[in-house]
Amino acid sequence: MQLSPKGVITFFAFFISWSISAQEIDQKNLIKHISYLASDELKGRKTLTEGNVKAQGYIISEFTSYGLYTHYKDYQQSFSFQNRRENKEYENAKNIVGFVPGTESRKIIVISGHYDHLGIGKANAAGDSIFNGADDNASGTSAMLALAEYFSKNPPKHSMMFVAFDAEEMGLQGAKALLEDFPFELEEILLNINMDMVGRNDKNELYASGTFHNPYLKPILERAAAGSSPTLLFGHDEPSSKQQDWTQSSDHGPFFSKGIPHIYFGVEDHPDYHKQSDEFLGIQPDFFVATTNLILNCILELDQSLLED
């Protein structure tokens, strides 16, 4: 059964126009996704908790409604791992995986975002103990869902796999598990596009990290982002730079380790990062919608340009 948020969507009605064009995601659904995934009902979505399972159900329901294919039973790829920090074995964690066949190429673009977060912890000064993880990473998961819906209606040239990763917060375990149990040869993966924290930025900036390692991707993204708002910046991928290197900071890391090109879309850390205050009402709706549409345009440009190459 598809779950729906409880009334909070109206908060954004004054800020967002719901007009949809041929190259725009469904804005209303985008906000619906994040308002539910970041709600108190899911209690921070920590791996193997009830809230995490509810998030799985929501994502599966959306994939089902889009008519996505999958290579795993009921869209679920189960895996187990050892959490060294907790000295605990986690069994039956789940990635949620959907698939759209390409019209001109069998090569695969993997589009991903992790849906797990930190769960419930010690209450802060305001008495809030839930780490809702609105930006980290209900935002990336919601953007992934919006992109999956778009490409289910507008088939891409390359095949596209849409993945909601579990257990990112426990060492990128979901991404590692996918690559260990991938339904095709890893050589078939053309590119990973990973989204983690794309819902807010006071400077109206979004980073595309990864082009330092694969420079041929940068002019493609520059074409797609020309004149865009938010501004697309490049960086956070050079080991010798003064900037923090994000190359292994999220689920694109295991792809990089396997020699698979990646683009990581994200923002620089904000004061609510990994705090109970990372809540739905902190999301900047105009930025979030514009960012997701910018990522869509980048994917469309990559889908066309990499085919020609």
Side-chain angles (χ1 to χ4, degrees):
M1 181 176 69
Q2 181 171 323
L3 302 169
S4 61
K6 298 182 178 179
V8 287
I9 296 175
T10 55
F11 175 82
F12 289 109
F14 301 100
F15 301 96
I16 296 177
S17 168
W18 303 119
S19 60
I20 304 297
S21 71
Q23 294 187 3
E24 290 187 351
I25 51 87
D26 188 315
Q27 302 172 22
K28 186 174 181 180
N29 283 343
L30 180 71
I31 300 303
K32 181 194 74 168
H33 301 327
I34 193 169
S35 66
Y36 178 71
L37 292 171
S39 67
D40 282 354
E41 181 180 341
L42 270 62
K43 300 186 184 301
R45 308 185 306 278
K46 185 176 180 179
T47 299
L48 297 189
T49 64
E50 180 182 354
N52 180 274
V53 173
K54 286 183 177 180
Q56 295 170 19
Y58 181 88
I59 296 164
I60 291 168
S61 176
E62 292 300 310
F63 278 5
T64 301
S65 72
Y66 309 154
L68 300 191
Y69 296 94
T70 188
H71 300 87
Y72 303 94
K73 182 178 173 62
D74 298 325
Y75 297 100
Q76 300 172 77
Q77 181 203 29
S78 298
F79 62 96
S80 301
F81 63 95
Q82 179 73 28
N83 187 325
R84 296 179 181 177
R85 183 179 302 174
E86 299 179 356
N87 192 26
K88 177 181 177 181
E89 180 76 16
Y90 277 75
E91 297 181 357
N92 209 31
K94 288 185 171 65
N95 294 327
I96 312 302
V97 186
F99 189 81
V100 175
T103 59
E104 299 185 34
S105 174
R106 294 184 60 182
K107 291 285 187 177
I108 302 163
I109 298 175
V110 179
I111 301 175
S112 60
H114 75 91
Y115 70 93
D116 68 296
H117 195 52
L118 302 178
I120 298 177
K122 184 178 179 180
N124 62 12
D128 186 359
S129 61
I130 299 176
F131 290 82
N132 297 87
D135 199 23
D136 181 19
N137 185 36
S139 67
T141 303
S142 299
M144 181 276 297
L145 286 170
L147 292 165
E149 180 181 15
Y150 176 90
F151 284 107
S152 71
K153 299 174 181 176
N154 302 275
K157 298 179 184 302
H158 294 88
S159 294
M160 291 189 180
M161 182 176 286
F162 297 91
V163 187
F165 282 124
D166 199 359
E168 188 270 356
E169 300 287 1
M170 296 181 179
L172 318 182
Q173 302 295 338
K176 294 174 183 177
L178 179 73
L179 295 176
E180 290 172 0
D181 181 32
F182 201 70
F184 303 92
E185 296 295 326
L186 293 184
E187 290 75 16
E188 294 297 310
I189 304 177
L190 182 69
L191 177 67
N192 171 229
I193 295 174
N194 187 45
M195 298 167 289
D196 195 344
M197 296 177 59
V198 294
R200 53 183 285 193
N201 182 262
D202 291 339
K203 296 180 180 179
N204 198 36
E205 295 173 346
L206 177 71
Y207 272 90
S209 175
T211 61
F212 173 78
H213 302 287
N214 295 281
Y216 68 94
L217 296 173
K218 187 174 182 180
I220 301 173
L221 297 174
E222 288 176 328
R223 287 197 301 271
S228 70
S229 178
T231 303
L232 187 66
L233 302 177
F234 299 88
H236 287 290
D237 51 10
E238 298 185 44
S240 60
S241 172
K242 293 181 180 180
Q243 288 181 323
Q244 183 183 19
D245 186 357
W246 292 346
T247 303
Q248 295 282 358
S249 67
S250 185
D251 289 306
H252 53 280
F255 289 85
F256 173 78
S257 296
K258 295 286 188 182
I260 300 167
H262 74 274
I263 295 296
Y264 166 42
F265 289 105
V267 301
E268 293 184 317
D269 290 352
H270 47 70
D272 298 320
Y273 170 68
H274 274 201
K275 294 181 180 178
Q276 298 93 327
S277 51
D278 182 12
E279 296 187 335
F280 174 67
L281 294 184
I283 294 298
Q284 297 166 342
D286 291 334
F287 176 83
F288 186 32
V289 169
T291 292
T292 308
N293 278 322
L294 172 57
I295 295 170
L296 169 62
N297 286 331
C298 288
I299 294 173
L300 290 169
E301 189 69 32
L302 289 163
D303 188 37
Q304 178 63 45
S305 298
L306 296 179
L307 184 74
E308 293 172 348
D309 292 343

